[in-house]
Amino acid sequence: LHQIPLDNANTFHLLSSGETTGVFQLESAGMRRHIKELKPSSLLDISAMIALYRPGPMEHIDTFIQAKHGHAEIRYPHPVLKDILEETYGVIVYQDQVLLIVQAFAGYTLGQADIFRKAMGKKIPEVMKKEKQNFLAGAKSKGFSADVAEAVFALIEPFAGYAFNKAHSVSYAMIAYQTAYLKSNYPVEYMTSLLGCYVGAPDKVVATIAECQRMGIRVLSPDINKSQPNFTIEETDKGLAIRYGLACIKNVGEAAIEPVVRVREQGGPFKSVEDMCRRADLRSANRRVWESLIKAGALDGLGSRAALLQSVERILSLAQREQQLKESGQVTMFDLWGDSVPVPMANLELAQIDTPAKEKRAWEKELLGVCLSDNPLLLNARRQQSADVTGCGEVTNEMEGQTVEVIGEVASVRESFTREHKPFATVVLEDLTGNIEVTVWPEMYEPKRDLWQEGNFLQVKGRVSQRQERLQLICKWVSEYQVPAELPPEPATPNIEKKQRLVIRLAQTEREDEDIATLHKVMAALRAYPGQQEVRLTVATDGELVPVAMPMTINFCSALRQRLVELVGAEGVKVE
């Protein structure tokens, strides 16, 4: 961590875009908004924002941001304070600055200044009055006018009790930068680790899976033949994905599942439930553990959930008998029959009617925190969604009066009647980001009553309204949510590897310096995503397209595409 560069372009791009879910200290909605407006370009910018995002200093955040970007003049209370406040654009940010101002303006020693700071922080009127008199007297002895001294005292007063010291804030900023660096440069690895940290905190797991969805990272269902105890990275034909851990399922712990994983790794995947019972010691896993594994979908590859749930007792009984026979040195019936002839498990195949999708979703939501199989909201990655879609849990007070579009599952419906005795409904719509209450008046409810049913997935447009400190949408339009159809798979071509090439098109302008700067930014973005795909650059100049050879191969992902579109526009990014 101490060797990572502190000027990484990907890191500052991620921070400037406000995509800081999972980034230390920068996750709250307010902080995300401010960090996006700030567009930090150094570690000290991050440090200052962390220090300012507190009661008292918070009111100066806009001044700090406007001054950084040159939209407002940097003002100093007095020229003598320029050296102290220049780093923070004229805004008092740190305790250290308060001490230095008191020293420079009123002649205090640093020890006296710290006593002054502590006294001010207690907000006791008699103490504050006395300290103000001492400050004004000190300023007068240094030759400052009473008006200037009063103004400076009024400026430092709100900070004395609330401001961070700089060392504390820079330490926080360093961890914030490191986590942002890892998220922006190693997204799958970082999000996998983050999920592992949140085991046992379902709300955080759900929020992190939602962020994975937004980033285009797939989270796969738990699988007895593929999962490890914790979340892990898995290579698939569609790229890297995150596999849900078996021990991360509610009611399933590491002690119960580790013997199963160990045997699987030694002897290969389980071919059937019978094979698992023969090879693995299942005695540390009780009925509740196996029911949770089955309901969560971890055994889907070995049988239907309905069949397995009906056979839990037989599975456990058979597994226990096999282990007891092994320990006693007796020949088991599996040894007798051999691997080629599966031993029937007392009508295990009777219940081949699969569980209804709605019940599966309910089970998975209870045990995993989120439905990972057959979930339209997961099938539609954020990069395929309209940029205008807002997460149900992302509607904020600042959106009041605006019309937003959300996509979610109907969690509950409460029907009521207007004064004219017409039916309307209060509906809770939820997705991976959270939920939002939707008020559906008669004109949008009666004609579409069949849509407003629990378990349906809907696309809703509504006006954001705040009622008794509770946010809600007033429905203006609704339709059943249709998952975008996926492209049909390409026909397989024997012995020929399908390849893709990224083609970036740049248009030459009369502003040579800007063109060169854009080219450098494009190159930096490409280098940040190494991989196996070819990349070609074409430059449009004087009506001609000039191809430029690129000495690199890249991994073209959603994050890289987003960065390139920002640099050259959507029309300048194509895959062939």
Side-chain angles (χ1 to χ4, degrees), residues 551-562:
M552 65 178 73
T553 53
I554 55 98
N555 173 29
F556 187 57
C557 57
S558 58
L560 176 56
R561 179 183 181 85
Q562 180 182 344

mmCIF file with all atom_site columns, all heavy atoms in Angstrom, residues 551-562:
data_model
loop_
_atom_site.group_PDB
_atom_site.id
_atom_site.type_symbol
_atom_site.label_atom_id
_atom_site.label_alt_id
_atom_site.label_comp_id
_atom_site.label_asym_id
_atom_site.label_entity_id
_atom_site.label_seq_id
_atom_site.pdbx_PDB_ins_code
_atom_site.Cartn_x
_atom_site.Cartn_y
_atom_site.Cartn_z
_atom_site.occupancy
_atom_site.B_iso_or_equiv
_atom_site.pdbx_formal_charge
_atom_site.auth_seq_id
_atom_site.auth_comp_id
_atom_site.auth_asym_id
_atom_site.auth_atom_id
_atom_site.pdbx_PDB_model_num
ATOM 1  N N   . PRO A 1 551 ? 0.753   0.183  -29.482 1.00 0.00 ? 551 PRO A N   1
ATOM 2  C CA  . PRO A 1 551 ? 1.618   -0.883 -28.958 1.00 0.00 ? 551 PRO A CA  1
ATOM 3  C C   . PRO A 1 551 ? 1.129   -1.423 -27.619 1.00 0.00 ? 551 PRO A C   1
ATOM 4  O O   . PRO A 1 551 ? 1.848   -1.433 -26.627 1.00 0.00 ? 551 PRO A O   1
ATOM 5  C CB  . PRO A 1 551 ? 2.966   -0.164 -28.803 1.00 0.00 ? 551 PRO A CB  1
ATOM 6  C CG  . PRO A 1 551 ? 2.586   1.234  -28.466 1.00 0.00 ? 551 PRO A CG  1
ATOM 7  C CD  . PRO A 1 551 ? 1.312   1.524  -29.220 1.00 0.00 ? 551 PRO A CD  1
ATOM 8  N N   . MET A 1 552 ? -0.125  -1.868 -27.560 1.00 0.00 ? 552 MET A N   1
ATOM 9  C CA  . MET A 1 552 ? -0.667  -2.371 -26.304 1.00 0.00 ? 552 MET A CA  1
ATOM 10 C C   . MET A 1 552 ? -1.893  -3.211 -26.585 1.00 0.00 ? 552 MET A C   1
ATOM 11 O O   . MET A 1 552 ? -2.497  -3.121 -27.665 1.00 0.00 ? 552 MET A O   1
ATOM 12 C CB  . MET A 1 552 ? -1.037  -1.211 -25.372 1.00 0.00 ? 552 MET A CB  1
ATOM 13 C CG  . MET A 1 552 ? -2.160  -0.338 -25.910 1.00 0.00 ? 552 MET A CG  1
ATOM 14 S SD  . MET A 1 552 ? -2.625  0.980  -24.761 1.00 0.00 ? 552 MET A SD  1
ATOM 15 C CE  . MET A 1 552 ? -1.223  2.062  -24.929 1.00 0.00 ? 552 MET A CE  1
ATOM 16 N N   . THR A 1 553 ? -2.262  -4.050 -25.633 1.00 0.00 ? 553 THR A N   1
ATOM 17 C CA  . THR A 1 553 ? -3.540  -4.753 -25.660 1.00 0.00 ? 553 THR A CA  1
ATOM 18 C C   . THR A 1 553 ? -4.266  -4.408 -24.365 1.00 0.00 ? 553 THR A C   1
ATOM 19 O O   . THR A 1 553 ? -3.641  -4.139 -23.345 1.00 0.00 ? 553 THR A O   1
ATOM 20 C CB  . THR A 1 553 ? -3.354  -6.278 -25.757 1.00 0.00 ? 553 THR A CB  1
ATOM 21 O OG1 . THR A 1 553 ? -2.478  -6.703 -24.720 1.00 0.00 ? 553 THR A OG1 1
ATOM 22 C CG2 . THR A 1 553 ? -2.793  -6.662 -27.115 1.00 0.00 ? 553 THR A CG2 1
ATOM 23 N N   . ILE A 1 554 ? -5.585  -4.409 -24.423 1.00 0.00 ? 554 ILE A N   1
ATOM 24 C CA  . ILE A 1 554 ? -6.372  -3.881 -23.302 1.00 0.00 ? 554 ILE A CA  1
ATOM 25 C C   . ILE A 1 554 ? -7.503  -4.830 -22.921 1.00 0.00 ? 554 ILE A C   1
ATOM 26 O O   . ILE A 1 554 ? -7.818  -5.781 -23.642 1.00 0.00 ? 554 ILE A O   1
ATOM 27 C CB  . ILE A 1 554 ? -6.946  -2.472 -23.647 1.00 0.00 ? 554 ILE A CB  1
ATOM 28 C CG1 . ILE A 1 554 ? -7.761  -2.504 -24.954 1.00 0.00 ? 554 ILE A CG1 1
ATOM 29 C CG2 . ILE A 1 554 ? -5.840  -1.463 -23.766 1.00 0.00 ? 554 ILE A CG2 1
ATOM 30 C CD1 . ILE A 1 554 ? -9.214  -2.623 -24.810 1.00 0.00 ? 554 ILE A CD1 1
ATOM 31 N N   . ASN A 1 555 ? -8.107  -4.541 -21.765 1.00 0.00 ? 555 ASN A N   1
ATOM 32 C CA  . ASN A 1 555 ? -9.310  -5.240 -21.314 1.00 0.00 ? 555 ASN A CA  1
ATOM 33 C C   . ASN A 1 555 ? -10.462 -4.248 -21.395 1.00 0.00 ? 555 ASN A C   1
ATOM 34 O O   . ASN A 1 555 ? -10.599 -3.365 -20.553 1.00 0.00 ? 555 ASN A O   1
ATOM 35 C CB  . ASN A 1 555 ? -9.136  -5.739 -19.880 1.00 0.00 ? 555 ASN A CB  1
ATOM 36 C CG  . ASN A 1 555 ? -10.429 -6.322 -19.318 1.00 0.00 ? 555 ASN A CG  1
ATOM 37 O OD1 . ASN A 1 555 ? -11.254 -6.841 -20.060 1.00 0.00 ? 555 ASN A OD1 1
ATOM 38 N ND2 . ASN A 1 555 ? -10.609 -6.224 -18.016 1.00 0.00 ? 555 ASN A ND2 1
ATOM 39 N N   . PHE A 1 556 ? -11.289 -4.371 -22.449 1.00 0.00 ? 556 PHE A N   1
ATOM 40 C CA  . PHE A 1 556 ? -12.353 -3.397 -22.666 1.00 0.00 ? 556 PHE A CA  1
ATOM 41 C C   . PHE A 1 556 ? -13.544 -3.738 -21.773 1.00 0.00 ? 556 PHE A C   1
ATOM 42 O O   . PHE A 1 556 ? -14.251 -4.706 -21.990 1.00 0.00 ? 556 PHE A O   1
ATOM 43 C CB  . PHE A 1 556 ? -12.779 -3.396 -24.131 1.00 0.00 ? 556 PHE A CB  1
ATOM 44 C CG  . PHE A 1 556 ? -13.760 -2.298 -24.466 1.00 0.00 ? 556 PHE A CG  1
ATOM 45 C CD1 . PHE A 1 556 ? -13.434 -0.977 -24.228 1.00 0.00 ? 556 PHE A CD1 1
ATOM 46 C CD2 . PHE A 1 556 ? -15.001 -2.587 -24.987 1.00 0.00 ? 556 PHE A CD2 1
ATOM 47 C CE1 . PHE A 1 556 ? -14.328 0.038  -24.532 1.00 0.00 ? 556 PHE A CE1 1
ATOM 48 C CE2 . PHE A 1 556 ? -15.909 -1.578 -25.282 1.00 0.00 ? 556 PHE A CE2 1
ATOM 49 C CZ  . PHE A 1 556 ? -15.568 -0.266 -25.052 1.00 0.00 ? 556 PHE A CZ  1
ATOM 50 N N   . CYS A 1 557 ? -13.743 -2.922 -20.731 1.00 0.00 ? 557 CYS A N   1
ATOM 51 C CA  . CYS A 1 557 ? -14.815 -3.148 -19.763 1.00 0.00 ? 557 CYS A CA  1
ATOM 52 C C   . CYS A 1 557 ? -15.677 -1.888 -19.670 1.00 0.00 ? 557 CYS A C   1
ATOM 53 O O   . CYS A 1 557 ? -15.386 -0.867 -20.302 1.00 0.00 ? 557 CYS A O   1
ATOM 54 C CB  . CYS A 1 557 ? -14.236 -3.494 -18.398 1.00 0.00 ? 557 CYS A CB  1
ATOM 55 S SG  . CYS A 1 557 ? -13.121 -2.223 -17.755 1.00 0.00 ? 557 CYS A SG  1
ATOM 56 N N   . SER A 1 558 ? -16.740 -1.960 -18.855 1.00 0.00 ? 558 SER A N   1
ATOM 57 C CA  . SER A 1 558 ? -17.669 -0.833 -18.757 1.00 0.00 ? 558 SER A CA  1
ATOM 58 C C   . SER A 1 558 ? -16.986 0.420  -18.207 1.00 0.00 ? 558 SER A C   1
ATOM 59 O O   . SER A 1 558 ? -17.267 1.539  -18.630 1.00 0.00 ? 558 SER A O   1
ATOM 60 C CB  . SER A 1 558 ? -18.868 -1.208 -17.886 1.00 0.00 ? 558 SER A CB  1
ATOM 61 O OG  . SER A 1 558 ? -18.438 -1.603 -16.603 1.00 0.00 ? 558 SER A OG  1
ATOM 62 N N   . ALA A 1 559 ? -16.068 0.228  -17.242 1.00 0.00 ? 559 ALA A N   1
ATOM 63 C CA  . ALA A 1 559 ? -15.388 1.390  -16.658 1.00 0.00 ? 559 ALA A CA  1
ATOM 64 C C   . ALA A 1 559 ? -14.506 2.090  -17.689 1.00 0.00 ? 559 ALA A C   1
ATOM 65 O O   . ALA A 1 559 ? -14.463 3.323  -17.769 1.00 0.00 ? 559 ALA A O   1
ATOM 66 C CB  . ALA A 1 559 ? -14.549 0.943  -15.459 1.00 0.00 ? 559 ALA A CB  1
ATOM 67 N N   . LEU A 1 560 ? -13.787 1.296  -18.508 1.00 0.00 ? 560 LEU A N   1
ATOM 68 C CA  . LEU A 1 560 ? -12.941 1.889  -19.551 1.00 0.00 ? 560 LEU A CA  1
ATOM 69 C C   . LEU A 1 560 ? -13.801 2.578  -20.596 1.00 0.00 ? 560 LEU A C   1
ATOM 70 O O   . LEU A 1 560 ? -13.482 3.682  -21.050 1.00 0.00 ? 560 LEU A O   1
ATOM 71 C CB  . LEU A 1 560 ? -12.067 0.815  -20.197 1.00 0.00 ? 560 LEU A CB  1
ATOM 72 C CG  . LEU A 1 560 ? -11.190 1.277  -21.376 1.00 0.00 ? 560 LEU A CG  1
ATOM 73 C CD1 . LEU A 1 560 ? -10.284 2.436  -20.972 1.00 0.00 ? 560 LEU A CD1 1
ATOM 74 C CD2 . LEU A 1 560 ? -10.360 0.115  -21.899 1.00 0.00 ? 560 LEU A CD2 1
ATOM 75 N N   . ARG A 1 561 ? -14.901 1.938  -20.985 1.00 0.00 ? 561 ARG A N   1
ATOM 76 C CA  . ARG A 1 561 ? -15.788 2.549  -21.974 1.00 0.00 ? 561 ARG A CA  1
ATOM 77 C C   . ARG A 1 561 ? -16.298 3.905  -21.481 1.00 0.00 ? 561 ARG A C   1
ATOM 78 O O   . ARG A 1 561 ? -16.301 4.894  -22.216 1.00 0.00 ? 561 ARG A O   1
ATOM 79 C CB  . ARG A 1 561 ? -16.969 1.624  -22.268 1.00 0.00 ? 561 ARG A CB  1
ATOM 80 C CG  . ARG A 1 561 ? -17.953 2.238  -23.278 1.00 0.00 ? 561 ARG A CG  1
ATOM 81 C CD  . ARG A 1 561 ? -19.153 1.347  -23.522 1.00 0.00 ? 561 ARG A CD  1
ATOM 82 N NE  . ARG A 1 561 ? -20.029 1.979  -24.494 1.00 0.00 ? 561 ARG A NE  1
ATOM 83 C CZ  . ARG A 1 561 ? -19.884 1.882  -25.798 1.00 0.00 ? 561 ARG A CZ  1
ATOM 84 N NH1 . ARG A 1 561 ? -18.891 1.165  -26.297 1.00 0.00 ? 561 ARG A NH1 1
ATOM 85 N NH2 . ARG A 1 561 ? -20.705 2.503  -26.625 1.00 0.00 ? 561 ARG A NH2 1
ATOM 86 N N   . GLN A 1 562 ? -16.720 3.963  -20.208 1.00 0.00 ? 562 GLN A N   1
ATOM 87 C CA  . GLN A 1 562 ? -17.234 5.209  -19.645 1.00 0.00 ? 562 GLN A CA  1
ATOM 88 C C   . GLN A 1 562 ? -16.177 6.311  -19.706 1.00 0.00 ? 562 GLN A C   1
ATOM 89 O O   . GLN A 1 562 ? -16.471 7.442  -20.082 1.00 0.00 ? 562 GLN A O   1
ATOM 90 C CB  . GLN A 1 562 ? -17.668 4.973  -18.200 1.00 0.00 ? 562 GLN A CB  1
ATOM 91 C CG  . GLN A 1 562 ? -18.213 6.209  -17.507 1.00 0.00 ? 562 GLN A CG  1
ATOM 92 C CD  . GLN A 1 562 ? -18.591 5.919  -16.062 1.00 0.00 ? 562 GLN A CD  1
ATOM 93 O OE1 . GLN A 1 562 ? -18.726 4.781  -15.654 1.00 0.00 ? 562 GLN A OE1 1
ATOM 94 N NE2 . GLN A 1 562 ? -18.749 6.966  -15.274 1.00 0.00 ? 562 GLN A NE2 1
#
